[in-house]
Amino acid sequence: MDYQTLKLRLIGFSTYSILLMLISCSEDFLDIVAEDRIDKTSFYESDKELVNAINGVYAKQRIVFNHYGTYYLQDSRSDNAALNQQDQPERVQSDVFQELTNNQEMLISWSQLYDVINHANAIIANTKNVEGDQELVNRIVGEAKFLRAYTYFQIVTTWGDVPLRLLPSEDFDNVTVPTSSSSEVYNQIRIDLNEAISVLPENYIGGKGFEIGRVTKYAALTLLGKLELQIGNNEAAETALRQVIGRYRLLSDYADIYAAGNNNTAESIFEISFEPAGNTGFFLPNYFIPIDETQRLGIPAGGNADQILQFYPTQSLIDEFEINDLRADATFGIAVADNDPYVSKFKDLGAASQGHDVNIAVLRYADVLLSLSEAIGESSEGYELINQVRRRGFGFDPEMVNESVDINFTTPGSFNDKLLHERRVEFAFEHQRWSDLKRLLNPEEVVQLMKEQLFQQEGKDFEISTTDLLFPIPLLEIQISDGAVTQNPGY
């Protein structure tokens, strides 16, 4: 290794450490102090140590979802949300497909995601000699494999071909991993999920190490179904998703999904947990809601002081909701002071400085129903699965036929059009839309849709190509790899 390469690696890891220190926090059930550096991994000695270690991985995952970078990489990239183009250029480039390879917001998200993976890898690699309840040890390894799989799913759908790190980074010599193809990454996700399914429980009974909200067998099956859909294996997706049918149910009121304190409901399959009492509440709603609106609503936590919110719903999303669809009022609000729309989905009227008491349901039963419909394709059963979600959205019993809202073969539009519409209004701001567009439309259709969206949003044309459907690999990652990591086409 030459001096220049070593220097770049040292600079790179220093940068990663600083970025992670700036955004790290800790919590319980995560009652663990998060580590903000690449550590010299030691072997775990007891099942109790392993419980603390897996709690740390959950805590790392929470950091990812409590940073606005997740919205820059997903929702604002799509036609659901916009970023204020008068804000700092680097923070808003992703909205208009103009981000550079050295974009620091993108690098922070990349670093956070790989930090989750590194801590999961440490558990998976160092459990051979752990003493104690071996069933518990195996379960914790299954949790780590799910969390690694879910994080790689976020990474591969965002960046495509990426480094596939399966061992913990113990020092500067073993951290450089070359680019793997997206198919290799997807295959590893499948391996991790199948191994997790074999050891994870169906549910938890509560108590230390067995808290409700941990990863279950059905969470792994749901993600496996989504993985197979993403790569076009509809038959395999159907097999996985059918095993989840009937294990959960839709809540009767859509607004209850994200009602403050209403966590781990009958609809929720896996959530990112936040806990204001432990100073680890969900802080992003403060970023979404104008400060004068929080004052009007009586939310103690304050709000966004900008005249134009940095992140806000697009008009095309607002227009997508049908008349009498109750999901609209549960998704966005209109600020009384200036009549501008804002994201209201995750607000907690009692939120104070510790953040909002709202979890993010990254896997929920409505997704299973709509994903299974997608896997089956246009059919009577496929439409019935969509209609169950629609009925609840309009305030009706999901199980009862309702001609006023049900759709079928004769409803205008292709099956994909109808599915995309339902997924858009059901999962707005839940980090689904960008992957949905890339999966259910061809690349040229996505480019054209986004060009039209950005013209409506900004009043001018933007250059977008099919290579822009993947983000660039962060420049620093390429530099410190000494050429082992390659850049995506078009950058």
Side-chain angles (χ1 to χ4, degrees):
M1 182 188 304
D2 60 32
Y3 171 76
Q4 185 62 26
T5 301
L6 178 59
K7 181 179 177 182
L8 281 171
R9 289 188 183 182
L10 290 171
I11 293 172
F13 285 114
S14 296
T15 302
Y16 280 173
S17 296
I18 292 169
L19 291 174
L20 292 169
M21 287 172 68
L22 288 173
I23 44 76
S24 291
C25 59
S26 63
E27 175 194 76
D28 164 44
F29 77 82
L30 283 128
D31 190 8
I32 187 73
V33 177
E35 300 171 30
D36 303 315
R37 57 185 173 80
I38 295 176
D39 61 330
K40 179 77 172 175
T41 303
S42 60
F43 286 89
Y44 301 105
E45 296 180 354
S46 70
D47 52 6
K48 291 182 180 179
E49 288 184 4
L50 213 56
V51 168
N52 286 337
I54 193 64
N55 288 352
V57 185
Y58 284 105
K60 290 289 184 182
Q61 188 183 50
R62 182 175 56 251
I63 291 169
V64 172
F65 282 88
N66 216 1
H67 184 256
Y68 47 70
T70 55
Y71 284 91
Y72 288 171
L73 294 175
Q74 297 295 328
D75 295 81
S76 69
R77 189 68 157 189
S78 76
D79 53 348
N80 273 3
L83 301 178
N84 177 7
Q85 291 300 307
Q86 298 174 38
D87 195 10
Q88 299 175 25
E90 195 167 50
R91 292 211 312 216
V92 300
Q93 290 168 349
S94 59
D95 183 34
V96 292
F97 297 82
Q98 293 184 340
E99 72 285 339
L100 303 177
T101 60
N102 64 349
N103 185 287
Q104 290 301 302
E105 299 296 343
M106 179 179 65
L107 175 60
I108 290 173
S109 292
W110 173 280
S111 303
Q112 290 172 332
L113 290 163
Y114 272 105
D115 196 39
V116 175
I117 288 169
N118 193 49
H119 282 73
N121 285 343
I123 292 174
I124 295 167
N126 295 308
T127 57
K128 292 182 179 178
N129 300 313
V130 173
E131 296 180 355
D133 183 344
Q134 291 304 302
E135 184 177 348
L136 175 59
V137 170
N138 293 336
R139 190 209 82 195
I140 291 171
V141 172
E143 290 180 72
K145 287 183 176 179
F146 172 90
L147 294 171
R148 180 170 73 177
Y150 184 81
T151 307
Y152 266 124
F153 188 69
Q154 293 174 273
I155 291 172
V156 72
T157 54
T158 302
W159 282 282
D161 299 347
V162 295
L164 183 58
R165 297 190 175 111
L166 300 177
L167 294 173
S169 300
E170 299 178 7
D171 53 46
F172 294 138
D173 291 328
N174 78 335
V175 82
T176 297
V177 177
T179 298
S180 292
S181 68
S182 58
S183 60
E184 291 176 294
V185 179
Y186 280 121
N187 186 58
Q188 183 59 50
I189 296 171
R190 183 187 294 110
I191 291 170
D192 278 350
L193 290 174
N194 279 319
E195 292 178 356
I197 288 165
S198 70
V199 295
L200 288 173
E202 296 183 2
N203 51 55
Y204 292 89
I205 59 175
K208 179 67 175 177
F210 298 87
E211 295 90 345
I212 295 170
R214 290 180 180 275
V215 178
T216 65
K217 169 185 176 179
Y218 296 117
L221 281 165
T222 300
L223 183 57
L224 180 61
K226 288 174 70 65
L227 159 72
E228 300 294 2
L229 273 185
Q230 199 69 33
I231 58 180
N233 295 336
N234 286 14
E235 186 174 342
E238 180 182 352
T239 299
L241 294 166
R242 283 199 183 279
Q243 296 178 68
V244 189
I245 292 296
R247 302 289 179 174
Y248 301 84
R249 65 173 176 81
L250 298 178
L251 299 183
S252 58
D253 187 345
Y254 181 85
D256 286 344
I257 298 170
Y258 288 107
N262 198 26
N263 303 325
N264 298 305
T265 68
E267 181 167 344
S268 178
I269 300 173
F270 180 60
E271 298 184 351
I272 309 299
S273 298
F274 298 95
E275 178 51 67
N279 288 315
T280 53
F282 187 28
F283 289 99
L284 286 183
N286 287 353
Y287 171 73
F288 297 155
I289 307 174
I291 191 167
D292 49 8
E293 185 70 2
T294 61
Q295 291 171 348
R296 185 185 72 83
L297 294 170
I299 301 176
N304 194 316
D306 282 9
Q307 176 89 16
I308 302 176
L309 294 174
Q310 290 104 318
F311 180 95
Y312 58 93
T314 61
Q315 188 61 46
S316 69
L317 171 63
I318 294 171
D319 293 342
E320 189 81 10
F321 288 88
E322 300 165 65
I323 295 173
N324 298 324
D325 188 337
L326 304 180
R327 290 171 290 190
D329 287 342
T331 300
F332 61 87
I334 304 296
V336 171
D338 53 18
N339 205 38
D340 284 340
Y342 65 92
V343 178
S344 63
K345 195 168 202 173
F346 311 105
K347 73 176 185 294
D348 173 4
L349 294 178
S353 59
Q354 295 86 1
H356 294 243
D357 186 11
V358 177
N359 288 354
I360 301 177
V362 294
L363 297 174
R364 56 186 178 88
Y365 194 52
D367 199 1
V368 173
L369 296 174
L370 294 180
S371 294
L372 181 56
S373 174
E374 181 181 338
I376 296 169
E378 189 164 27
S379 60
S380 296
E381 184 184 9
Y383 279 117
E384 172 57 24
L385 292 166
I386 294 175
N387 285 331
Q388 288 180 32
V389 177
R390 282 182 60 80
R391 292 167 195 151
R392 191 270 299 273
F394 285 83
F396 299 112
D397 185 338
E399 302 293 334
M400 298 292 294
V401 172
N402 192 302
E403 294 182 0
S404 67
V405 298
D406 286 359
I407 62 173
N408 55 37
F409 296 92
T410 65
T411 305
S414 69
F415 186 69
N416 267 10
D417 290 339
K418 301 168 202 176
L419 192 60
L420 271 170
H421 163 79
E422 208 57 42
R423 291 190 64 86
R424 188 180 190 189
V425 296
E426 178 71 22
F427 304 118
F429 313 122
E430 296 183 36
H431 310 305
Q432 300 260 23
R433 177 65 171 174
W434 185 232
S435 293
D436 287 350
L437 289 175
K438 293 192 293 181
R439 184 179 70 255
L440 290 167
L441 299 178
N442 66 50
E444 291 75 18
E445 289 174 325
V446 178
V447 167
Q448 185 58 36
L449 182 151
M450 292 311 306
K451 283 184 175 180
E452 293 172 0
Q453 160 61 34
L454 288 174
F455 185 84
Q456 179 189 47
Q457 176 185 316
E458 301 296 331
K460 61 180 180 179
D461 292 315
F462 287 90
E463 289 296 323
I464 308 174
S465 68
T466 54
T467 57
D468 292 322
L469 303 186
L470 293 174
F471 277 85
I473 304 298
L475 177 61
L476 183 60
E477 182 71 30
I478 294 173
Q479 290 176 325
I480 65 176
S481 75
D482 196 24
V485 177
T486 56
Q487 186 55 270
N488 281 332
Y491 294 99

